[in-house]
């Protein structure tokens, strides 16, 4: 590569975001630069590398590049050195700060750098304010309180100059010192005018907001503390260089009772400890993470793979011990270097942090402070007056069970029959009370086989209700054997039918389940009463439903009489099962009628489970989202505690469909909270949906936060397809927030993940989106590369129209990047694709062909090939209008008018431009451009009065 090419590469690298990608590009360039033997370029590249290493998370490498530049500057001064002197002196601050963070670097080395810094600042006539600041930081680091106070006073009283830290960074260090010395109110007051101003430094406002977390908290400003955390962490979360500050946010979450969020942050950044920016950053993150994990209870944390260590779920407690050891060990190394105990004392305080004071809600996805149970919350009998009271009962565990009176003179069979009847009526409180009474009174008594079998069968029902399917199967088999010994055929077949259903639900499903329920139904048809016969056929239908034999299952239910043998509770369940089957058979109207019948019976009987299940089914089957919301409202009111989660999810989705996204957000948040409280799986999927809801209502910061949580959780579950779709959502949210580089990083990752031949269309779409983001950010050369890559993927996927669009956008990008050769090459490809698609009348094809002609004309205009450009546009406006693309037609006609003007054909341009101007919306940007062209035309036609009036009307300057 020529020197000019190398300089161009360096300019491109300087536009890259800080991080591993920029560092790799800089190091590759350095090898080429050294081979080219260009001292000026070598110096400037290393200056850029020093900054890149600092902000990219590899500060140790900056020591080498800085030393090289300083040595080169002193050894053989050149004119170009003076142009970079200010930056070189600024880099001294990086060195003084960076050397402290590596315990292997002797403290004398840092003092020597500070002395050299002071000498050079004095020689250049600069203020020593920045020197005093860094001497203060060294004194604070080693724990010399008096020296720190001395240098702090000098720093504050010495005038600032152009080498002082920015208006955000200087106050940040002041805030930290004031907070450390117990002057929180002063810290907050100092920061207020800083935050009210405009901060443009790379490190701000996230650094000062992080420094304010504890002062805000300790002065009772919980809301400001929450907002500071969310704003600052969002800016820090993607930067390895900011690991130390991220540790402060982990600690803040722990302090404020947000243990779940603290652990999520630890999981997200845990692998950064495998490549920390410095030992100091590793020490502080390890300490904060250890304290957070100790509050997590008996749980596990996902740890990503690293060299020599596979990815795995690890015990939070054991990881906390490991990280505490890491932090303490690093602190000891720093203290050994410094000859003090300051760092060990600091880390001991961090390791001891735990929740204190009032809980401060921080999460955008979890509304309350999760209890982190070890197993899901069990169903609680009874229903409070409202869903709000019910949710609070689940959260607090203080719900009152309704009083159940069991007859004191009831015999064993009476109690078991009461329990059986209560089970069928969905009355779990009486069911359990009757069984408790039975066990208390007759648990150790010698009982007939029939009675013992009945108790075993009911115990099996309990196990099944707790999702212990294997335990329920064993108990039912034992009950079946006892019933047969007692020659109780009807009871035996009822148990055999239940056993068959359980076997179908078990992990090792066999034909036994279907055989059992069919045989039981046949026997009950002969020997049972009407209700028993109905229940037998319902169980056959349930087994067939589980096997997805919808029509056969429906046929089984057709054998059940409409009143289910007089058992209305059973009739409600059968109607609900019928509705599910009809839904699977796409007989929507019949399904809706069936579940509505179940809902009606459930209401009349007051059975919340039936009303809830039928309401959810009804919500799925109605066309009007408002009707679905209403059904979910009723289901939510009736739902038992363990059914609230699916109702919340269904209601949130219905609200979204009904255009009520703000209300949907609340339900999704409640659903995620319930998931976390109960230790249930699936919260990552719900967070994904919540992030989308936040996006829809324009709350992009919360959308980003929750989508990041969702991606982490989905990755942890191994759900790559869903994780990638969530990354796609997150990239769009980042772009909406103006966070271009994180958006691009995600899209690059997606493009890499979608590398298979089946994924070519999706890969192309992602690459094209990346090109669009770069194009909008005026990073046109990079945009051209992405559009070209997208077009190639579209070509491989045999999508010619999409390929044409991507090539057209590539040509525009190269045009604005002022790379004329690349633009012309892209136009040649566009012409070839357009020729293949020519003659098609589909509106999308006509649209792309017209815009392809326009981009070719614009590129040729840039080459001053005006006649060729004009010739390309013949008939294009009419074609666009034929497909109602009126705005694009006006844009092309304005270009034709410009070409006619430049070809000295103003008489032809005037009527065209007047027509365009008259048809444009008054507020559009194109109005001023077209008015300017028309005014120039009028000048050439020697009509200055009209031209002046037009310029006045549109506030145009004649020299524009």
């Amino acid at each position: 590569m020529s020197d000019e090419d190398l300089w161009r590469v360096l300019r491109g690298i300087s536009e890259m975001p800080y991080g591993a990608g920029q560092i790799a590009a800089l190091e590759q360039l350095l090898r080429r630069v050294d081979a080219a033997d260009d001292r000026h370029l070598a110096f400037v590249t290393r200056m850029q590398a020093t900054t890149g290493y600092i902000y990219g998370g590899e500060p140790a490498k900056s020591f080498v590049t800085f030393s090289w530049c300083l040595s080169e500057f002193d050894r053989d001064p050149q004119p170009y050195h003076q142009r970079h002197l200010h930056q070189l002196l600024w880099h001294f601050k990086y060195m003084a700060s960076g050397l402290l963070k590596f315990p292997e670097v002797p403290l004398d080395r840092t003092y020597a750098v500070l002395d050299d810094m002071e000498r050079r600042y004095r020689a250049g006539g600069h203020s020593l304010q920045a020197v005093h600041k860094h001497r203060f930081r060294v004194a604070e680091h080693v724990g010399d309180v008096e020296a720190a106070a001395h240098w702090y006073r000098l720093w504050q009283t010495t005038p600032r100059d152009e080498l002082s830290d920015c208006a955000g960074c200087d106050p940040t260090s002041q805030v930290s010192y004031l907070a450390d010395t117990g002057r929180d109110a002063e810290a907050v007051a100092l920061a207020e005018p800083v935050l009210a101003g405009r901060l443009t430094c790379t490190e701000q406002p996230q650094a000062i907001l992080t420094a304010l977390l504890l002062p805000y908290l300790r002065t009772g400003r919980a809301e400001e503390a929450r907002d500071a955390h969310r704003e600052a962490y969002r800016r820090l979360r993607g930067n390895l260089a900011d690991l130390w500050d991220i540790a402060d946010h982990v600690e803040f979450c722990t302090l404020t009772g947000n243990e779940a969020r603290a652990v999520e942050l630890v999981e997200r950044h845990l692998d950064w400890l495998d490549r920390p920016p410095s030992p100091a950053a590793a020490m502080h993150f390890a300490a904060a993470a250890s304290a957070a994990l100790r509050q997590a209870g008996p749980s596990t944390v996902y740890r990503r793979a690293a060299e020599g260590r596979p990815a795995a779920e690890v015990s939070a407690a054991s990881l906390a011990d490991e990280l505490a050891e890491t932090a303490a060990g690093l602190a000891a190394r720093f203290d050994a270097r410094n000859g003090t105990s300051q760092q060990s004392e600091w880390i001991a305080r961090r390791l001891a942090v735990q929740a204190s004071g009032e809980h401060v809600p921080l999460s955008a996805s979890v509304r309350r402070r999760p209890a982190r149970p070890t197993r899901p919350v069990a169903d609680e009998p009874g229903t409070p007056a409202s869903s709000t009271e019910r949710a609070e009962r689940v959260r607090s565990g203080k719900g009152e069970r309704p009083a159940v009176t069991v007859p004191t003179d009831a015999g064993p069979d009476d109690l078991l029959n009461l329990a059986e009847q209560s089970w069928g009526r969905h009355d779990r409180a009486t069911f359990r009370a009757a069984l408790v009474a039975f066990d208390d009174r007759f648990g150790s008594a010698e009982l007939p086989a029939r009675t013992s079998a009945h108790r075993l069968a009911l115990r099996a029902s309990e196990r099944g209700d707790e999702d212990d399917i294997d335990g329920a199967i064993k108990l039912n088999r034992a009950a079946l054997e006892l019933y047969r010994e007692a020659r109780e055929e009807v009871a035996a077949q009822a148990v055999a039918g239940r056993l068959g259903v359980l076997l179908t639900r078990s992990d090792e499903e066999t034909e036994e389940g279907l055989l059992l329920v069919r045989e039981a139904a046949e026997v009950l048809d002969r020997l049972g009463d009407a209700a028993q016969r109905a229940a037998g056929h319902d169980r056959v239908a349930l087994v067939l439903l589980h096997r997805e034999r919808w029509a056969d299952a429906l046929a089984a239910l057709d054998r059940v009489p409409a009143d289910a043998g007089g058992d209305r509770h059973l009739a409600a369940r059968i109607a609900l099962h019928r509705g599910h089957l009809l839904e699977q058979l796409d007989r929507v109207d019949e399904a809706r009628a069936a579940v509505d019948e179940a809902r009606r019976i459930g209401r009349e009987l007051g059975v919340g489970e039936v009303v809830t299940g039928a309401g959810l089914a009804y919500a799925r089957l109605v066309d009007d989202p408002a009707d679905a919301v209403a059904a979910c409202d009723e289901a939510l009111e009736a739902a038992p505690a363990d059914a609230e989660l699916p109702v919340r999810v269904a209601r949130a989705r219905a609200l979204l469909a009904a255009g009520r996204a703000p209300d949907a957000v609340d339900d999704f948040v409640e659903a995620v909270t319930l998931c976390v409280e109960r230790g249930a799986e699936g919260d990552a999927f719900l967070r994904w949906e919540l992030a989308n809801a936040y996006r829809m209502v324009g709350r992009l910061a919360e959308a980003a936060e929750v989508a990041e949580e969702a991606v982490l959780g989905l990755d942890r579950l191994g759900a790559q397809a869903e994780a990638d779709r969530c990354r796609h959502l997150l990239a769009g949210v980042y772009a909406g927030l103006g966070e271009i580089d994180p958006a691009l990083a995600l899209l690059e990752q997606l493009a890499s993940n979608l590398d298979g031949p089946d994924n070519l269309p999706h890969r192309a779409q992602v690459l094209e989106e990346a090109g669009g983001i770069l194009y909008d950010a005026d990073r046109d050369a990079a945009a051209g590369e992405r559009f070209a890559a997208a077009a190639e993927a579209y070509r491989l996927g045999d999508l010619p129209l999409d390929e044409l669009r991507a090539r057209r956008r590539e040509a525009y990008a190269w045009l604005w990047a002022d790379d004329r050769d690349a633009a012309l090459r892209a136009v040649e490809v566009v012409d070839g694709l357009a020729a293949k698609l020519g003659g098609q009348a589909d509106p999308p094809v006509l649209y792309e062909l017209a815009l392809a002609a326009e981009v070719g004309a614009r590129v040729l205009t840039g080459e001053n090939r005006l006649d060729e450009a004009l010739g390309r546009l013949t008939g294009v406006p009419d074609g666009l209008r034929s497909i109602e693309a009126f705005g694009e037609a006006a844009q092309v006609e304005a270009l034709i008018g410009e070409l006619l003007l430049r070809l000295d054909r103003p008489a032809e341009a005037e009527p065209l431009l007047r027509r365009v101007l008259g048809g444009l919306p008054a507020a559009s940007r194109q109005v001023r451009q077209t008015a300017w062209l028309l005014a120039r035309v009028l000048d050439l036609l020697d009509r200055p009065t009209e031209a002046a009036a037009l310029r006045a009307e549109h506030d145009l300057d004649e020299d524009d």
Side-chain angles (χ1 to χ4, degrees), residues 384-414:
S386 71
S387 58
T388 302
E389 293 173 5
R390 178 171 58 257
E392 186 58 36
R393 184 194 68 188
V394 175
R395 291 192 286 274
S396 65
K398 297 178 182 177
E400 295 183 4
R401 300 176 183 271
V404 175
T405 301
V406 177
T408 57
D409 59 348
D413 290 328
D414 295 329

mmCIF file of all heavy atoms in Angstrom, residues 384-414:
data_model
loop_
_atom_site.group_PDB
_atom_site.id
_atom_site.type_symbol
_atom_site.label_atom_id
_atom_site.label_comp_id
_atom_site.label_asym_id
_atom_site.label_seq_id
_atom_site.Cartn_x
_atom_site.Cartn_y
_atom_site.Cartn_z
ATOM 1 N N PRO A 384 -58.956 -14.099 46.632
ATOM 2 C CA PRO A 384 -59.257 -12.817 47.247
ATOM 3 C C PRO A 384 -60.196 -11.999 46.367
ATOM 4 O O PRO A 384 -60.505 -12.362 45.254
ATOM 5 C CB PRO A 384 -57.883 -12.160 47.367
ATOM 6 C CG PRO A 384 -57.066 -12.797 46.314
ATOM 7 C CD PRO A 384 -57.581 -14.196 46.182
ATOM 8 N N ALA A 385 -60.570 -10.840 46.879
ATOM 9 C CA ALA A 385 -61.598 -10.065 46.197
ATOM 10 C C ALA A 385 -61.144 -9.534 44.858
ATOM 11 O O ALA A 385 -61.961 -9.288 43.981
ATOM 12 C CB ALA A 385 -62.045 -8.910 47.093
ATOM 13 N N SER A 386 -59.841 -9.327 44.669
ATOM 14 C CA SER A 386 -59.371 -8.759 43.402
ATOM 15 C C SER A 386 -58.036 -9.352 43.030
ATOM 16 O O SER A 386 -57.343 -9.932 43.858
ATOM 17 C CB SER A 386 -59.231 -7.230 43.530
ATOM 18 O OG SER A 386 -58.137 -6.923 44.365
ATOM 19 N N SER A 387 -57.659 -9.164 41.748
ATOM 20 C CA SER A 387 -56.375 -9.700 41.292
ATOM 21 C C SER A 387 -55.221 -8.989 41.974
ATOM 22 O O SER A 387 -54.163 -9.572 42.195
ATOM 23 C CB SER A 387 -56.268 -9.568 39.769
ATOM 24 O OG SER A 387 -56.399 -8.213 39.391
ATOM 25 N N THR A 388 -55.405 -7.717 42.322
ATOM 26 C CA THR A 388 -54.337 -6.991 43.012
ATOM 27 C C THR A 388 -54.068 -7.606 44.377
ATOM 28 O O THR A 388 -52.925 -7.851 44.763
ATOM 29 C CB THR A 388 -54.726 -5.510 43.184
ATOM 30 O OG1 THR A 388 -54.975 -4.964 41.900
ATOM 31 C CG2 THR A 388 -53.630 -4.730 43.892
ATOM 32 N N GLU A 389 -55.173 -7.904 45.127
ATOM 33 C CA GLU A 389 -55.008 -8.545 46.429
ATOM 34 C C GLU A 389 -54.395 -9.925 46.275
ATOM 35 O O GLU A 389 -53.565 -10.352 47.075
ATOM 36 C CB GLU A 389 -56.365 -8.647 47.132
ATOM 37 C CG GLU A 389 -56.944 -7.294 47.534
ATOM 38 C CD GLU A 389 -58.352 -7.426 48.071
ATOM 39 O OE1 GLU A 389 -58.821 -8.581 48.213
ATOM 40 O OE2 GLU A 389 -58.987 -6.399 48.341
ATOM 41 N N ARG A 390 -54.803 -10.632 45.235
ATOM 42 C CA ARG A 390 -54.275 -11.978 45.015
ATOM 43 C C ARG A 390 -52.775 -11.918 44.740
ATOM 44 O O ARG A 390 -51.992 -12.695 45.284
ATOM 45 C CB ARG A 390 -55.008 -12.632 43.842
ATOM 46 C CG ARG A 390 -54.486 -14.012 43.520
ATOM 47 C CD ARG A 390 -55.369 -14.723 42.501
ATOM 48 N NE ARG A 390 -55.484 -13.987 41.274
ATOM 49 C CZ ARG A 390 -56.562 -13.273 40.941
ATOM 50 N NH1 ARG A 390 -57.575 -13.188 41.761
ATOM 51 N NH2 ARG A 390 -56.613 -12.629 39.799
ATOM 52 N N ALA A 391 -52.370 -10.968 43.868
ATOM 53 C CA ALA A 391 -50.943 -10.850 43.565
ATOM 54 C C ALA A 391 -50.154 -10.495 44.819
ATOM 55 O O ALA A 391 -49.076 -11.024 45.057
ATOM 56 C CB ALA A 391 -50.733 -9.784 42.480
ATOM 57 N N GLU A 392 -50.721 -9.618 45.643
ATOM 58 C CA GLU A 392 -50.034 -9.243 46.876
ATOM 59 C C GLU A 392 -49.930 -10.416 47.823
ATOM 60 O O GLU A 392 -48.930 -10.601 48.518
ATOM 61 C CB GLU A 392 -50.778 -8.083 47.545
ATOM 62 C CG GLU A 392 -50.048 -7.531 48.756
ATOM 63 C CD GLU A 392 -48.650 -7.043 48.407
ATOM 64 O OE1 GLU A 392 -48.466 -6.494 47.313
ATOM 65 O OE2 GLU A 392 -47.748 -7.234 49.245
ATOM 66 N N ARG A 393 -50.963 -11.283 47.838
ATOM 67 C CA ARG A 393 -50.914 -12.480 48.679
ATOM 68 C C ARG A 393 -49.771 -13.380 48.254
ATOM 69 O O ARG A 393 -49.030 -13.891 49.085
ATOM 70 C CB ARG A 393 -52.236 -13.245 48.585
ATOM 71 C CG ARG A 393 -52.281 -14.463 49.516
ATOM 72 C CD ARG A 393 -53.441 -15.370 49.163
ATOM 73 N NE ARG A 393 -53.202 -15.992 47.877
ATOM 74 C CZ ARG A 393 -54.116 -16.718 47.236
ATOM 75 N NH1 ARG A 393 -55.322 -16.867 47.736
ATOM 76 N NH2 ARG A 393 -53.824 -17.284 46.080
ATOM 77 N N VAL A 394 -49.607 -13.556 46.961
ATOM 78 C CA VAL A 394 -48.526 -14.404 46.473
ATOM 79 C C VAL A 394 -47.185 -13.813 46.864
ATOM 80 O O VAL A 394 -46.267 -14.497 47.282
ATOM 81 C CB VAL A 394 -48.628 -14.559 44.940
ATOM 82 C CG1 VAL A 394 -47.440 -15.338 44.421
ATOM 83 C CG2 VAL A 394 -49.926 -15.256 44.578
ATOM 84 N N ARG A 395 -47.080 -12.478 46.761
ATOM 85 C CA ARG A 395 -45.799 -11.833 47.042
ATOM 86 C C ARG A 395 -45.448 -11.894 48.521
ATOM 87 O O ARG A 395 -44.325 -12.127 48.910
ATOM 88 C CB ARG A 395 -45.850 -10.375 46.573
ATOM 89 C CG ARG A 395 -45.907 -10.231 45.075
ATOM 90 C CD ARG A 395 -45.663 -8.791 44.681
ATOM 91 N NE ARG A 395 -46.794 -7.917 44.954
ATOM 92 C CZ ARG A 395 -47.809 -7.736 44.122
ATOM 93 N NH1 ARG A 395 -47.836 -8.380 42.984
ATOM 94 N NH2 ARG A 395 -48.785 -6.906 44.417
ATOM 95 N N SER A 396 -46.440 -11.646 49.360
ATOM 96 C CA SER A 396 -46.139 -11.549 50.788
ATOM 97 C C SER A 396 -46.225 -12.876 51.509
ATOM 98 O O SER A 396 -45.691 -13.038 52.596
ATOM 99 C CB SER A 396 -47.110 -10.565 51.437
ATOM 100 O OG SER A 396 -48.432 -11.076 51.377
ATOM 101 N N GLY A 397 -46.972 -13.841 50.932
ATOM 102 C CA GLY A 397 -47.164 -15.121 51.601
ATOM 103 C C GLY A 397 -48.078 -15.029 52.806
ATOM 104 O O GLY A 397 -48.116 -15.916 53.649
ATOM 105 N N LYS A 398 -48.850 -13.932 52.889
ATOM 106 C CA LYS A 398 -49.706 -13.717 54.055
ATOM 107 C C LYS A 398 -51.181 -13.941 53.745
ATOM 108 O O LYS A 398 -52.048 -13.492 54.481
ATOM 109 C CB LYS A 398 -49.510 -12.293 54.586
ATOM 110 C CG LYS A 398 -48.084 -12.038 55.075
ATOM 111 C CD LYS A 398 -47.920 -10.611 55.532
ATOM 112 C CE LYS A 398 -46.490 -10.356 55.981
ATOM 113 N NZ LYS A 398 -46.274 -8.947 56.370
ATOM 114 N N GLY A 399 -51.501 -14.597 52.622
ATOM 115 C CA GLY A 399 -52.896 -14.819 52.285
ATOM 116 C C GLY A 399 -53.571 -15.730 53.301
ATOM 117 O O GLY A 399 -52.974 -16.660 53.827
ATOM 118 N N GLU A 400 -54.811 -15.446 53.602
ATOM 119 C CA GLU A 400 -55.546 -16.241 54.585
ATOM 120 C C GLU A 400 -56.335 -17.331 53.887
ATOM 121 O O GLU A 400 -57.070 -17.070 52.938
ATOM 122 C CB GLU A 400 -56.496 -15.343 55.383
ATOM 123 C CG GLU A 400 -55.763 -14.317 56.240
ATOM 124 C CD GLU A 400 -56.736 -13.504 57.064
ATOM 125 O OE1 GLU A 400 -57.948 -13.805 57.009
ATOM 126 O OE2 GLU A 400 -56.291 -12.590 57.768
ATOM 127 N N ARG A 401 -56.203 -18.563 54.350
ATOM 128 C CA ARG A 401 -56.977 -19.662 53.790
ATOM 129 C C ARG A 401 -58.406 -19.612 54.354
ATOM 130 O O ARG A 401 -58.604 -19.320 55.525
ATOM 131 C CB ARG A 401 -56.340 -21.004 54.138
ATOM 132 C CG ARG A 401 -54.923 -21.165 53.610
ATOM 133 C CD ARG A 401 -54.333 -22.481 54.084
ATOM 134 N NE ARG A 401 -52.963 -22.607 53.651
ATOM 135 C CZ ARG A 401 -52.607 -23.143 52.503
ATOM 136 N NH1 ARG A 401 -53.527 -23.567 51.664
ATOM 137 N NH2 ARG A 401 -51.342 -23.247 52.167
ATOM 138 N N PRO A 402 -59.380 -19.907 53.521
ATOM 139 C CA PRO A 402 -60.753 -19.917 54.041
ATOM 140 C C PRO A 402 -60.914 -21.035 55.070
ATOM 141 O O PRO A 402 -60.332 -22.108 54.945
ATOM 142 C CB PRO A 402 -61.595 -20.176 52.787
ATOM 143 C CG PRO A 402 -60.672 -20.851 51.825
ATOM 144 C CD PRO A 402 -59.316 -20.284 52.102
ATOM 145 N N ALA A 403 -61.712 -20.769 56.087
ATOM 146 C CA ALA A 403 -61.929 -21.778 57.135
ATOM 147 C C ALA A 403 -62.733 -22.938 56.576
ATOM 148 O O ALA A 403 -63.721 -22.754 55.879
ATOM 149 C CB ALA A 403 -62.660 -21.140 58.308
ATOM 150 N N VAL A 404 -62.283 -24.153 56.825
ATOM 151 C CA VAL A 404 -62.976 -25.363 56.366
ATOM 152 C C VAL A 404 -63.328 -26.188 57.597
ATOM 153 O O VAL A 404 -62.462 -26.496 58.420
ATOM 154 C CB VAL A 404 -62.098 -26.180 55.408
ATOM 155 C CG1 VAL A 404 -62.796 -27.477 55.043
ATOM 156 C CG2 VAL A 404 -61.775 -25.373 54.159
ATOM 157 N N THR A 405 -64.595 -26.520 57.708
ATOM 158 C CA THR A 405 -65.047 -27.328 58.841
ATOM 159 C C THR A 405 -65.303 -28.752 58.377
ATOM 160 O O THR A 405 -66.082 -28.982 57.442
ATOM 161 C CB THR A 405 -66.338 -26.753 59.446
ATOM 162 O OG1 THR A 405 -66.086 -25.407 59.870
ATOM 163 C CG2 THR A 405 -66.793 -27.588 60.629
ATOM 164 N N VAL A 406 -64.622 -29.684 58.980
ATOM 165 C CA VAL A 406 -64.800 -31.099 58.659
ATOM 166 C C VAL A 406 -65.613 -31.727 59.791
ATOM 167 O O VAL A 406 -65.274 -31.550 60.977
ATOM 168 C CB VAL A 406 -63.445 -31.815 58.521
ATOM 169 C CG1 VAL A 406 -63.651 -33.296 58.263
ATOM 170 C CG2 VAL A 406 -62.633 -31.179 57.401
ATOM 171 N N PRO A 407 -66.677 -32.438 59.470
ATOM 172 C CA PRO A 407 -67.506 -33.041 60.528
ATOM 173 C C PRO A 407 -66.675 -33.888 61.479
ATOM 174 O O PRO A 407 -65.877 -34.734 61.057
ATOM 175 C CB PRO A 407 -68.510 -33.904 59.752
ATOM 176 C CG PRO A 407 -68.567 -33.273 58.390
ATOM 177 C CD PRO A 407 -67.204 -32.743 58.133
ATOM 178 N N THR A 408 -66.872 -33.651 62.758
ATOM 179 C CA THR A 408 -66.061 -34.370 63.746
ATOM 180 C C THR A 408 -66.441 -35.833 63.864
ATOM 181 O O THR A 408 -65.629 -36.664 64.305
ATOM 182 C CB THR A 408 -66.226 -33.708 65.127
ATOM 183 O OG1 THR A 408 -67.620 -33.692 65.467
ATOM 184 C CG2 THR A 408 -65.686 -32.289 65.100
ATOM 185 N N ASP A 409 -67.687 -36.169 63.445
ATOM 186 C CA ASP A 409 -68.122 -37.559 63.571
ATOM 187 C C ASP A 409 -67.993 -38.339 62.269
ATOM 188 O O ASP A 409 -68.485 -39.458 62.154
ATOM 189 C CB ASP A 409 -69.579 -37.609 64.046
ATOM 190 C CG ASP A 409 -70.511 -36.879 63.085
ATOM 191 O OD1 ASP A 409 -69.989 -36.150 62.200
ATOM 192 O OD2 ASP A 409 -71.742 -37.025 63.224
ATOM 193 N N ALA A 410 -67.322 -37.737 61.271
ATOM 194 C CA ALA A 410 -67.195 -38.410 59.973
ATOM 195 C C ALA A 410 -66.267 -39.606 60.094
ATOM 196 O O ALA A 410 -65.187 -39.535 60.702
ATOM 197 C CB ALA A 410 -66.672 -37.443 58.923
ATOM 198 N N GLY A 411 -66.680 -40.721 59.488
ATOM 199 C CA GLY A 411 -65.844 -41.901 59.463
ATOM 200 C C GLY A 411 -64.834 -41.834 58.339
ATOM 201 O O GLY A 411 -64.811 -40.886 57.540
ATOM 202 N N PRO A 412 -63.948 -42.836 58.234
ATOM 203 C CA PRO A 412 -62.893 -42.791 57.206
ATOM 204 C C PRO A 412 -63.442 -42.714 55.796
ATOM 205 O O PRO A 412 -62.960 -41.921 54.984
ATOM 206 C CB PRO A 412 -62.108 -44.081 57.450
ATOM 207 C CG PRO A 412 -62.996 -44.951 58.270
ATOM 208 C CD PRO A 412 -63.858 -44.048 59.073
ATOM 209 N N ASP A 413 -64.444 -43.517 55.490
ATOM 210 C CA ASP A 413 -65.000 -43.455 54.137
ATOM 211 C C ASP A 413 -65.709 -42.134 53.881
ATOM 212 O O ASP A 413 -65.673 -41.596 52.767
ATOM 213 C CB ASP A 413 -65.954 -44.629 53.904
ATOM 214 C CG ASP A 413 -65.206 -45.961 53.817
ATOM 215 O OD1 ASP A 413 -64.050 -45.936 53.342
ATOM 216 O OD2 ASP A 413 -65.766 -46.989 54.227
ATOM 217 N N ASP A 414 -66.348 -41.594 54.926
ATOM 218 C CA ASP A 414 -67.010 -40.288 54.775
ATOM 219 C C ASP A 414 -65.982 -39.208 54.409
ATOM 220 O O ASP A 414 -66.220 -38.368 53.534
ATOM 221 C CB ASP A 414 -67.721 -39.891 56.072
ATOM 222 C CG ASP A 414 -68.859 -40.837 56.413
ATOM 223 O OD1 ASP A 414 -69.478 -41.380 55.470
ATOM 224 O OD2 ASP A 414 -69.116 -41.040 57.613
#
